[in-house]
Amino acid sequence: MSHNVRLVSLDFSKAFDTVRHNSLALQLASMPIPDFVYNWVLALLQNRVHCTKFCGIISSYKRINASIIQGSGLGPVNFLSLISKLKLLYAGNRIFKYADDCCLVIPASNIDTTDAELKHIAEWARNCNLRLNHSKSCEIIIRRPRSKTFDSPPPHSRDRTG
């Protein structure tokens, strides 16, 4: 019996910058939150614009239909609302989510499901206008240490005779 798990740490590229407002609105609408909270979040995201100033020249304003306000208390919560829709394909596999970081945990008994789970997560991400950052994602195999058995008790640190 193998006592190990595969842990894949996943990172989404510029996750807070790419979340579409309409995707977030659909997810929030499906959650049991009060209407005034839903409307407040949408009001915060609607009619946002951006311009850039460089060498004293200001660009024209462009509407923003994607991004979550970073540095706000709502940014991580809104992203978690969106990512809560991400579910795995196989029983026994687990995913732990924190803001834009996820850890996929696959036990040895399911190790052959790894590719399918990763493809599923990448497809989900594409549908949400997110992209996995492969250079910041990594994998580690965690093994349970072998049990140690002793034929005799371990030696003492000092001799107590005499």
Side-chain angles (χ1 to χ4, degrees), residues 12 78-86 97 99 101-102 124:
F12 294 102
N78 281 332
F79 190 81
L80 285 174
S81 299
L82 179 72
I83 203 168
S84 69
K85 281 286 206 193
L86 173 57
K97 308 167 198 168
D101 297 314
C102 293
W124 174 87

Side-chain angles (χ1 to χ4, degrees), residues 42-87:
L42 289 188
L44 184 67
L45 297 175
Q46 290 175 338
N47 301 319
R48 294 188 61 227
V49 294
H50 172 80
C51 70
T52 301
K53 182 177 181 180
F54 181 72
C55 291
I57 300 171
I58 299 174
S59 70
S60 60
Y61 287 94
K62 297 291 181 185
R63 287 183 46 86
I64 298 172
N65 62 5
S67 80
I68 296 173
I69 301 169
Q70 294 185 41
S72 71
L74 276 181
V77 172
N78 281 332
F79 190 81
L80 285 174
S81 299
L82 179 72
I83 203 168
S84 69
K85 281 286 206 193
L86 173 57
K87 306 292 184 209

